[in-house]
Amino acid sequence: MLRPLAHKPLYEQIKDYILLNIQSGNFSPDSRIPSERELSEQFNVSRMTVTKALHELTRDGLLYARVGKGTFVSPRRIDQQLEMLTSFTEDMARRGQRSASRVLAASLQPASEDAAHYLGLLPGTPVVSLQRVRLAEGEPIALEHCMLVAAMCPQILERFDFSHDSLYEVLWREYGLGMRYAEQTIEARVASEYEATALEVLPGSPVLAITRVSYAEGDRPVEFVLSAYRGDRYKFHAILRKLESQAQP
Ligand code: 16G
């Protein structure tokens, strides 16, 4: 089945074979793929060739290895479009996934320098501080620490249970705060021990650290959020358009 004389190296052809099987659903997420020995016998190539193919697919996050158990297909990454302002609950619902949250902390706190700056408050002004692990199909995806201007949503923590309520829905339905736009930065770093425990990954695993400030009508900042999304489960997707006024290259 492999073509030794083709210009594509044999290990690349094995990669293609595995990728095709993943794309067609033949190798489903979290299922074990054939062992190195099976693949080398099937294609009549050396173990080294197969090892190289599996190593590259693992490095690129498409496969993962479990010591003594074999090589498995990675779960698909959640692809979030960057041009739409959505809530976690909406994002998951659009993908047909069940969302939930573990509330780690919820209280009124004096605004830190940073929170005050982004929310347009004086440091020390009360903010609602809500820390949640966001789950998709029961699996932790992100750790979010959200700070809200307390005066805009009185009694929110007493009235709602954010282990199942959607924050954006409550803000809109109960407080008339519809999010109009948000500004966010995304950077890669490794998970702290605290984040790793909450996300159920090894300390030092990659996360996407996101800082978001969301605004309601009248350019009023409502929330300042610091979050860590699992690097192995999340990717962001953006459509980039050239400005009409921009000259062609
Ligand atoms: C998203 C937002 C977060 C917001 C949350 C509300 C990002 C990076 N963050 O996770 O700022 O607080 O949705 O979700 O997208 P909820 O309405 O489901 O509680």
Side-chain angles (χ1 to χ4, degrees):
M1 191 178 171
L2 297 188
R3 293 176 303 149
L5 295 178
H7 64 277
K8 235 183 188 186
L10 290 173
Y11 82 93
E12 288 276 3
Q13 295 183 52
I14 295 185
K15 277 174 70 175
D16 287 351
Y17 163 82
I18 296 171
L19 279 174
L20 269 176
N21 276 286
I22 295 177
Q23 276 156 9
S24 67
N26 206 12
F27 294 168
S28 54
D30 290 317
S31 67
R32 195 174 67 79
I33 65 160
S35 68
E36 285 187 12
R37 186 180 49 75
E38 285 161 341
L39 287 167
S40 66
E41 278 168 12
Q42 180 179 346
F43 294 113
N44 201 17
V45 293
S46 74
R47 280 282 279 271
M48 247 169 61
T49 304
V50 176
T51 308
K52 187 165 162 69
L54 297 190
H55 171 77
E56 291 201 357
L57 290 170
T58 306
R59 183 201 60 198
D60 296 342
L62 290 141
L63 299 176
Y64 64 96
R66 289 176 62 191
V67 182
K69 298 247 164 62
T71 306
F72 295 77
V73 178
S74 300
R76 282 209 185 93
R77 287 183 198 220
I78 293 165
D79 183 351
Q80 189 188 336
Q81 295 197 6
L82 275 178
E83 61 273 27
M84 266 163 52
L85 176 54
T86 48
S87 70
F88 188 85
T89 309
E90 285 173 310
D91 265 350
M92 295 308 130
R94 265 193 303 147
R95 293 187 177 89
Q97 298 202 4
R98 218 168 13 94
S99 60
S101 305
R102 272 183 208 135
V103 177
L104 302 185
S107 62
L108 275 190
Q109 297 283 337
S112 63
E113 290 273 336
D114 262 7
H117 170 75
Y118 287 109
L119 293 173
L121 304 170
L122 288 173
T125 311
V127 291
V128 172
S129 162
L130 177 63
Q131 265 194 61
R132 292 179 291 176
V133 178
R134 314 303 308 261
L135 312 162
E137 296 296 327
E139 189 189 15
I141 298 293
L143 174 65
E144 290 186 342
H145 181 189
C146 166
M147 284 148 273
L148 304 163
V149 180
M152 287 182 163
C153 47
Q155 307 292 312
I156 193 168
L157 294 178
E158 289 77 11
R159 295 179 56 203
F160 303 96
D161 174 359
F162 290 108
S163 57
H164 51 73
D165 287 334
S166 153
L167 179 64
Y168 278 11
E169 216 214 289
V170 164
L171 287 171
W172 168 235
R173 205 185 56 219
E174 303 292 324
Y175 299 96
L177 294 168
M179 300 300 181
R180 299 308 290 263
Y181 64 96
E183 204 180 333
Q184 74 180 24
T185 58
I186 305 176
E187 59 190 310
R189 57 171 174 75
V190 294
S192 66
E193 248 176 69
Y194 178 72
E195 289 166 341
T197 310
L199 295 173
E200 297 172 19
V201 294
L202 293 173
S205 301
V207 289
L208 294 165
I210 304 178
T211 307
R212 179 190 275 204
V213 185
S214 313
Y215 298 82
E217 270 115 88
D219 295 339
R220 286 178 300 160
V222 176
E223 66 158 7
F224 169 56
V225 194
L226 299 171
S227 32
Y229 278 69
R230 273 174 59 172
D232 61 338
R233 300 290 280 114
Y234 227 81
K235 69 176 171 188
F236 287 88
H237 177 109
I239 294 174
L240 309 172
R241 290 196 179 82
K242 235 177 157 157
L243 291 176
E244 300 255 313
S245 57
Q246 233 176 318
Q248 286 303 325

